[in-house]
Amino acid sequence: MDYRFSDKLASLKPSAIREIFKSLTDPSIIAFAAGNPAAESFPVDEMAEISKEIYETEAAAALQYGTTEGYLPLRRAISERQRAKYGIGKTADDGYGFEDTTIIVSGGNQGLELTCKAFCNEGDAVICEDPSFIGALNAFRSNGAVTLGVPLREDGIDTEALEEMLRTEKRAKLLYLIPTFQNPAGITSTLENRKKVYELAKKYEIMILEDNPYGELRFAGEDVPTYKSFDTEGIVVYCSSFSKILSSGMRIGYLTAPEAVIQKIVVAKQVEDVHTNLFFQMLCHRYMTGHDFDGHIQDVRAIYRRKCGIMLDALDKELPGELRYTRPEGGLFIWCTLPESIDMNEYVKRCLKKKVALVPGSAFTPVPGAPCNSVRMSYSTATDEQIVSGCRILGEIAREMLAEKA
Amino acid sequence: MDYRFSDKLASLKPSAIREIFKSLTDPSIIAFAAGNPAAESFPVDEMAEISKEIYETEAAAALQYGTTEGYLPLRRAISERQRAKYGIGKTADDGYGFEDTTIIVSGGNQGLELTCKAFCNEGDAVICEDPSFIGALNAFRSNGAVTLGVPLREDGIDTEALEEMLRTEKRAKLLYLIPTFQNPAGITSTLENRKKVYELAKKYEIMILEDNPYGELRFAGEDVPTYKSFDTEGIVVYCSSFSKILSSGMRIGYLTAPEAVIQKIVVAKQVEDVHTNLFFQMLCHRYMTGHDFDGHIQDVRAIYRRKCGIMLDALDKELPGELRYTRPEGGLFIWCTLPESIDMNEYVKRCLKKKVALVPGSAFTPVPGAPCNSVRMSYSTATDEQIVSGCRILGEIAREMLAEKA
């Protein structure tokens, strides 16, 4: 049988990261490639206890169909927390012309995919930071959207290049940004950059899709306000999740946007999976309201502060000066840029041969095939010893390749 | 802000059923409308016990990211069971030119949506039984596909009308069928009908999407072989789920199709939700392999046998002869066709006023706005007393409306 598949999936390959993830079942490999949260960050005992409570007190509701928008007490708990803590969520009572609403999605990735589906026709474009999150890029492409890249600088997306693109690119419907602890680059854009970008979005009437899965994982420096917190026009769709805080395997994320946008997204979600696993929605609600959620987040931050510190120390010690890398204040990722004399793909290949897995930066270019000589590395799942020995190997191979070119 | 949404969602309205479901929070309403499984069908104690085991023995794996294809032991357990019990799943070893593979999806609805995404470009068509499942119709439409209807007869889809459509309709990419305990009509197509339809699909080279969420719920008569069981050409994508057997709220379904098709669908799933809730995948596996799964299914069948019997008895007693209704041998639904002299929408409205909720049949027409004078009713969640008193009201209103026209 010669299957005739749809065009929009023709260009899509399985995500390089997910493929690498599958190969990571080999325990001898040092997993700097995966974006998995640290297993010790899951509050297993509390989750077990809450699960028991749910079975004892509301099993029939937890196992039955729920509403597409999500479990109302959880939606409320998220709204209240992010409003109190981060100023997210405008209401008509605040005097705005729109009413932000929060719904539950099956992991942050679904939130991104649904937002694209709600706004983009085939051939429309999503402007992304270059580099950007591969899962989002593929989600946009699967809707037939074109992904365009604007260079990411140390302070955030390049605003001049962005304005030029907004001015000339009539197909652009969405501006996709990961402003905090960016994946893959680990960069947090400045407030000044954010304000400039927001003004551009307003001027060129483009929706901002703000992806913030790592925002709670700040282990150094000060919070920078989210786009959503200063969204006076109702042009920001804000997406986050519990994946890096409670559990990634449960697939619980959330989306906050003006009610009119949410209505469209709910219709799109309904046809995808009807609703998100209800039992774990209830679990998240009970965890947020009945346990020390903020205390737990502090514990998770401490895990990554320590791990990131170990990796940065090891990189400082082991890597030759020709390699540059970001120094994140939170999140899971370090972005390392190789000198021109080192071929990135060859470097990744040699590292994997020595049992250190990295993600080739080319996986993250919005325009497929665009040049990239960087790699993404994560400190989240490797042990302390693995981080140290892995960085030693990264240094050895870099020196070896530099010597070959010298 | 004047939001510019995508065209493909423009025509989509929230599913009438889901909207009615939301209104069903009023406990005084007799819920013949919802397609929810009976709460007493959930094996709560066993699920609680298994959950405890998972937390105790493999919490870190259960709460971490998993593969898009799904939890391998569950995929294997499903494959083995459906092969042994229903002859589903061909392999190269059997001498076929393809290898059927099973993956996990986030509820059956996602399986239908993903299959459409894999095969249909915008403007392509999906041929459906008329009436057909609203959730599937909307899933197809959300991918920009056109839904076309072929009348459903007592023995299955009208094969003459189907051939005519296959001959003339060049946009047709998928043939969507719910051959067993059809939703909404409650009809099970005969083997003769299925064989004829399969030959047509072969002849006109169209993929069959076989949706079988209710197949395990047979409480009378004999099993009819699924399309997938006699799929020698690799042209059937088979979709089913645990929603009506273990729990609908957990959102666990599965899809069996030739490997080449599955690969495309996995790419599409990866961008939607990365993977399905892993904890409950593990739970399903443990339930299937460590508990009396088939015994439980017998118990669930007994619940619906009893409830369906009560409703049919009540309808036989209460409804005037002008109303015709199906007598299902399994599943959750009865399809009741009103005489021309009763306006369907008015009937549904009056019943709701008397606190009996039905789904207007017009929700299930593949071509929006096509005439339909039937209603769907379910016996799954109402109590015995509610079924009896609800049917009495259905009869009263029917007689009242017939008298008005007389």
Side-chain angles (χ1 to χ4, degrees):
Chain A
M1 178 74 188
D2 193 18
Y3 300 111
R4 293 171 298 155
F5 295 114
S6 68
D7 299 332
K8 54 183 174 280
L9 291 185
S11 68
L12 268 195
K13 283 168 193 62
S15 148
I17 305 174
R18 307 298 306 164
E19 292 305 299
I20 288 171
F21 173 69
K22 271 200 270 180
S23 81
L24 291 185
T25 43
D26 178 354
S28 73
I29 286 192
I30 298 177
F32 291 171
N36 292 8
E40 61 267 38
S41 70
F42 308 144
V44 174
D45 293 344
E46 290 90 338
M47 291 175 81
E49 187 188 318
I50 293 170
S51 296
K52 187 164 170 280
E53 285 165 20
I54 294 172
Y55 281 116
E56 283 166 3
T57 60
E58 47 182 346
L63 301 175
Q64 188 56 278
Y65 282 116
T67 53
T68 304
E69 291 83 348
Y71 182 56
L72 193 56
L74 175 61
R75 296 170 60 199
R76 285 200 184 121
I78 294 167
S79 292
E80 281 164 23
R81 181 171 187 277
Q82 65 186 10
R83 189 174 157 91
K85 226 175 149 76
Y86 301 112
I88 289 173
K90 307 283 177 258
T91 69
D93 289 346
D94 301 327
Y96 294 94
F98 59 94
E99 181 98 15
D100 277 326
T101 304
T102 297
I103 57 163
I104 309 303
V105 290
S106 301
N109 217 103
Q110 190 187 47
L112 309 178
E113 194 271 332
L114 291 174
T115 304
C116 180
K117 190 178 264 177
F119 284 102
C120 292
N121 289 319
E122 288 196 24
D124 283 345
V126 183
I127 300 177
C128 307
E129 295 153 324
D130 181 5
S132 187
F133 170 46
I134 172 76
L137 297 175
N138 279 339
F140 303 151
R141 291 166 184 152
S142 76
N143 278 296
V146 176
T147 53
L148 303 173
V150 171
L152 182 63
R153 308 291 179 204
E154 260 173 56
D155 66 337
I157 197 168
D158 183 323
T159 50
E160 274 182 40
L162 175 61
E163 174 148 29
E164 178 60 17
M165 190 172 278
L166 286 169
R167 218 173 42 75
T168 56
E169 190 51 80
K170 295 301 168 207
R171 299 172 301 171
K173 279 286 192 66
L174 277 180
L175 172 56
Y176 171 64
L177 301 168
I178 315 164
T180 305
F181 316 135
Q182 208 253 9
N183 179 6
I187 283 172
T188 296
S189 61
T190 62
L191 181 59
E192 196 193 341
N193 175 270
R194 295 179 192 208
K195 292 277 188 186
K196 218 180 275 177
V197 170
Y198 187 80
E199 287 308 312
L200 289 175
K202 230 168 88 174
K203 180 172 168 189
Y204 292 95
E205 294 189 340
I206 189 167
M207 293 297 292
I208 293 175
L209 172 52
E210 178 175 29
D211 188 12
N212 191 24
Y214 315 107
E216 300 278 4
L217 302 183
R218 176 174 288 281
F219 46 72
E222 294 292 321
D223 275 341
V224 181
T226 61
Y227 281 96
K228 192 64 197 160
S229 70
F230 52 80
D231 178 24
T232 51
E233 310 297 312
I235 58 171
V236 177
V237 177
Y238 177 84
C239 186
S240 188
S241 99
F242 291 99
S243 290
K244 309 299 183 290
I245 300 297
L246 290 183
S247 154
S248 40
M250 68 182 180
R251 316 302 305 129
I252 312 271
Y254 47 96
L255 210 64
T256 301
E259 175 64 24
V261 175
I262 288 293
Q263 277 177 14
K264 273 288 163 193
I265 289 175
V266 166
V267 168
K269 177 168 169 60
Q270 185 169 93
V271 300
E272 279 191 7
D273 62 4
V274 187
H275 66 80
T276 294
N277 182 289
L278 185 51
F279 189 98
F280 274 92
Q281 291 190 63
M282 289 178 165
L283 187 149
C284 288
H285 169 249
R286 283 174 182 254
Y287 193 91
M288 282 186 81
T289 56
H291 292 253
D292 185 9
F293 188 55
D294 286 316
H296 170 67
I297 289 171
Q298 292 300 338
D299 295 344
V300 177
R301 290 177 179 185
I303 294 170
Y304 294 121
R305 181 182 298 117
R306 211 177 53 77
K307 280 175 172 282
C308 182
I310 294 171
M311 185 172 262
L312 285 173
D313 286 349
L315 292 174
D316 292 347
K317 188 174 156 215
E318 303 289 351
L319 288 199
E322 288 89 344
L323 284 76
R324 289 172 296 116
Y325 41 92
T326 52
R327 304 191 82 85
E329 298 189 327
L332 308 178
F333 303 112
I334 291 173
W335 183 245
C336 177
T337 302
L338 309 173
E340 271 182 38
S341 57
I342 295 183
D343 177 79
M344 185 272 291
N345 284 312
E346 175 65 19
Y347 183 71
V348 170
K349 211 177 288 176
R350 289 202 200 175
C351 290
L352 191 59
K353 208 178 249 172
K354 293 277 188 183
K355 304 266 185 191
V356 181
L358 303 168
V359 186
S362 50
F364 305 100
T365 54
V367 178
C372 179
N373 215 39
S374 304
V375 294
R376 189 190 79 175
M377 51 184 88
S378 167
Y379 38 80
S380 57
T381 59
T383 64
D384 298 359
E385 296 70 32
Q386 283 181 319
I387 293 176
V388 171
S389 63
C391 288
R392 192 173 308 132
I393 291 166
L394 295 185
E396 281 166 15
I397 294 172
R399 278 191 300 277
E400 175 186 303
M401 289 182 74
L402 284 169
E404 284 167 17
K405 288 285 175 180
Chain B
M1 178 76 188
D2 192 18
Y3 302 109
R4 292 172 298 155
F5 295 114
S6 67
D7 299 332
K8 53 183 173 279
L9 291 186
S11 67
L12 268 194
K13 284 168 191 63
S15 149
I17 305 174
R18 307 299 304 164
E19 292 305 297
I20 288 172
F21 174 69
K22 272 199 272 179
S23 80
L24 291 186
T25 43
D26 178 353
S28 74
I29 286 193
I30 298 177
F32 290 171
N36 291 8
E40 61 267 37
S41 70
F42 308 144
V44 175
D45 292 345
E46 290 90 337
M47 292 176 80
E49 187 188 318
I50 294 171
S51 297
K52 186 163 173 279
E53 286 166 20
I54 294 172
Y55 281 116
E56 283 166 2
T57 59
E58 48 181 346
L63 300 175
Q64 187 58 276
Y65 282 116
T67 53
T68 304
E69 291 83 349
Y71 182 56
L72 193 55
L74 176 61
R75 296 170 60 200
R76 286 200 185 120
I78 294 167
S79 292
E80 282 165 23
R81 180 171 187 277
Q82 64 186 11
R83 191 174 157 89
K85 228 175 147 74
Y86 301 113
I88 290 174
K90 306 285 178 255
T91 70
D93 289 347
D94 300 327
Y96 294 95
F98 60 94
E99 181 97 15
D100 277 326
T101 305
T102 297
I103 57 165
I104 309 303
V105 290
S106 301
N109 217 102
Q110 191 187 45
L112 309 179
E113 194 272 331
L114 292 174
T115 304
C116 181
K117 190 179 265 176
F119 284 102
C120 292
N121 289 319
E122 288 195 26
D124 283 345
V126 183
I127 300 177
C128 308
E129 295 153 324
D130 180 5
S132 187
F133 170 45
I134 172 78
L137 297 175
N138 279 339
F140 304 150
R141 291 167 184 153
S142 77
N143 278 295
V146 177
T147 52
L148 303 173
V150 172
L152 182 63
R153 308 292 179 202
E154 260 174 55
D155 67 337
I157 196 167
D158 183 322
T159 49
E160 274 182 40
L162 175 61
E163 175 148 29
E164 178 59 17
M165 190 172 278
L166 287 169
R167 217 173 44 74
T168 55
E169 189 50 82
K170 294 304 168 207
R171 302 171 300 171
K173 280 286 192 67
L174 277 179
L175 172 56
Y176 171 64
L177 301 168
I178 315 164
T180 305
F181 315 135
Q182 208 253 10
N183 178 6
I187 284 173
T188 295
S189 61
T190 61
L191 180 59
E192 195 193 341
N193 175 270
R194 294 179 193 207
K195 292 277 188 186
K196 218 180 273 178
V197 170
Y198 187 79
E199 288 308 312
L200 289 175
K202 230 167 90 174
K203 179 173 169 190
Y204 291 96
E205 294 189 339
I206 189 167
M207 294 294 294
I208 292 175
L209 172 52
E210 178 176 27
D211 189 11
N212 191 23
Y214 316 107
E216 301 278 5
L217 302 184
R218 176 173 289 281
F219 47 71
E222 293 292 319
D223 275 342
V224 181
T226 61
Y227 282 96
K228 192 64 197 161
S229 70
F230 53 79
D231 177 26
T232 52
E233 309 296 313
I235 58 170
V236 177
V237 176
Y238 177 84
C239 185
S240 186
S241 100
F242 291 100
S243 290
K244 309 299 182 290
I245 299 296
L246 290 183
S247 153
S248 40
M250 68 181 180
R251 315 303 305 130
I252 313 273
Y254 47 95
L255 209 64
T256 301
E259 175 65 25
V261 174
I262 287 293
Q263 277 178 15
K264 274 289 162 189
I265 289 175
V266 167
V267 167
K269 176 167 170 61
Q270 186 170 91
V271 301
E272 278 190 9
D273 63 4
V274 186
H275 66 80
T276 295
N277 182 291
L278 185 50
F279 190 98
F280 274 91
Q281 290 189 63
M282 289 179 165
L283 187 150
C284 288
H285 169 249
R286 282 174 182 255
Y287 192 90
M288 282 186 80
T289 57
H291 291 253
D292 185 9
F293 188 54
D294 286 315
H296 170 66
I297 288 171
Q298 293 301 338
D299 295 343
V300 177
R301 289 176 180 187
I303 293 170
Y304 294 120
R305 181 180 299 118
R306 210 178 54 77
K307 280 175 172 285
C308 182
I310 294 171
M311 184 173 264
L312 285 174
D313 285 350
L315 292 174
D316 291 346
K317 187 175 156 213
E318 303 289 352
L319 288 200
E322 288 88 344
L323 283 76
R324 288 172 297 115
Y325 41 92
T326 53
R327 304 190 83 86
E329 298 189 327
L332 308 179
F333 304 113
I334 291 173
W335 183 246
C336 178
T337 301
L338 308 173
E340 272 182 39
S341 57
I342 295 183
D343 177 81
M344 187 270 294
N345 284 313
E346 176 64 20
Y347 184 71
V348 170
K349 211 177 289 174
R350 290 203 200 173
C351 290
L352 191 60
K353 208 178 251 174
K354 294 277 187 183
K355 304 266 186 191
V356 181
L358 302 168
V359 186
S362 50
F364 305 100
T365 54
V367 177
C372 179
N373 215 39
S374 304
V375 294
R376 189 189 79 176
M377 53 184 86
S378 167
Y379 39 80
S380 57
T381 59
T383 63
D384 298 358
E385 296 70 32
Q386 283 180 320
I387 292 176
V388 171
S389 63
C391 289
R392 191 173 309 132
I393 291 165
L394 296 186
E396 281 167 14
I397 294 171
R399 278 191 299 275
E400 175 186 305
M401 290 181 74
L402 284 170
E404 284 168 18
K405 287 284 175 181

